[in-house]
């Protein structure tokens, strides 16, 4: 199957995601409008299958990928390391860089309105605990923004000043909270 095209801000470049029907391969390819060809940027293969947060054949999570603000690199999630992490790859030099790494997953990454930071959820502290984080756009140490132990499902306001989130724990049903974005305090 083919997803996309995913257009850059100027509308001059686009890439697609191609997935094999057996769920063992995924390619990201830049579209060449002059030749009509697709130029491979990245290939992921798994003898088991490719799925997980942000990749999503069978996942409930959003498939996450797009263009970096410079319009010269794309960002995507990959389980290349065995865990779903955030990567960028240059469309000219094809250099790939992991922005997050470790024995944890990230979920639903998004770039801040000022293009300086990532916001994402992660189970970095414990497999059963999901917190919300902010991290510099080029990678670095994530800053944890939530503190209630359990599952924190975050929705950030359009101006990024507030966080609305659903919170639950093993013995507590979902409840809704609103708080100031501590990263902006």
């Amino acid at each position: 199957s083919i997803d996309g095209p995913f257009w850059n801000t100027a509308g001059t470049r686009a890439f697609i995601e191609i997935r094999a029907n057996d769920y063992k391969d995924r390619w990201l390819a830049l579209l060449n409008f002059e030749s009509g060809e697709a130029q491979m940027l990245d290939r992921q293969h798994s003898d088991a299958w490719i799925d997980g947060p942000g990749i999503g054949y069978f996942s409930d999570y959003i498939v996450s990928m797009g263009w970096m603000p410079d319009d010269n690199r794309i960002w995507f999630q990959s389980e290349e390391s065995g865990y779903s992490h955030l990567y960028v790859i240059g469309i000219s030099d094809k250099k790939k860089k992991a922005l997050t790494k470790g024995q944890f997953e990230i979920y639903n990454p998004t770039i801040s309105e000022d293009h300086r930071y990532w916001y994402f959820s992660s189970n970095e502290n414990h497999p059963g605990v999901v917190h919300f984080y902010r991290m510099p756009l080029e990678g670095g140490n994530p800053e944890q923004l939530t503190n209630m132990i359990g599952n924190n499902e975050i929705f950030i306001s359009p101006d990024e000043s507030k966080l609305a989130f659903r919170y639950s724990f093993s013995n507590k049903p979902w409840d809704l909270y609103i708080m100031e974005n501590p990263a902006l305090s």
Side-chain angles (χ1 to χ4, degrees), residues 73-91:
R73 297 173 293 160
I74 62 170
W75 64 269
F76 60 98
Q77 284 182 257
S78 172
E79 286 187 320
E80 180 178 309
S81 69
Y83 295 88
S84 185
H85 282 288
L86 185 58
Y87 291 80
V88 294
I89 190 167
I91 60 169

Side-chain angles (χ1 to χ4, degrees), residues 100-172:
T100 59
K101 51 186 152 191
Q103 295 182 344
F104 58 88
E105 312 261 36
I106 68 160
Y107 312 93
N108 306 324
T110 186
I111 298 174
S112 66
E113 287 296 316
D114 65 7
H115 298 155
R116 294 177 50 212
Y117 299 99
W118 288 100
Y119 286 108
F120 58 83
S121 295
S122 175
N123 63 355
E124 182 173 351
N125 296 327
H126 183 277
V129 175
V130 177
H131 282 293
F132 193 61
Y133 294 83
R134 183 177 84 155
M135 178 182 76
L137 189 65
E138 297 302 325
N141 292 327
E143 173 188 4
Q144 184 177 313
L145 302 180
T146 54
N147 60 17
M148 295 189 338
I149 296 173
N151 190 356
N152 295 277
E153 186 179 278
I154 303 297
F155 303 91
I156 193 163
S157 67
D159 68 358
E160 298 176 1
S161 67
K162 301 216 178 353
L163 305 178
F165 61 100
R166 291 186 341 140
Y167 167 77
S168 71
F169 190 70
S170 59
N171 62 351
K172 293 181 182 180

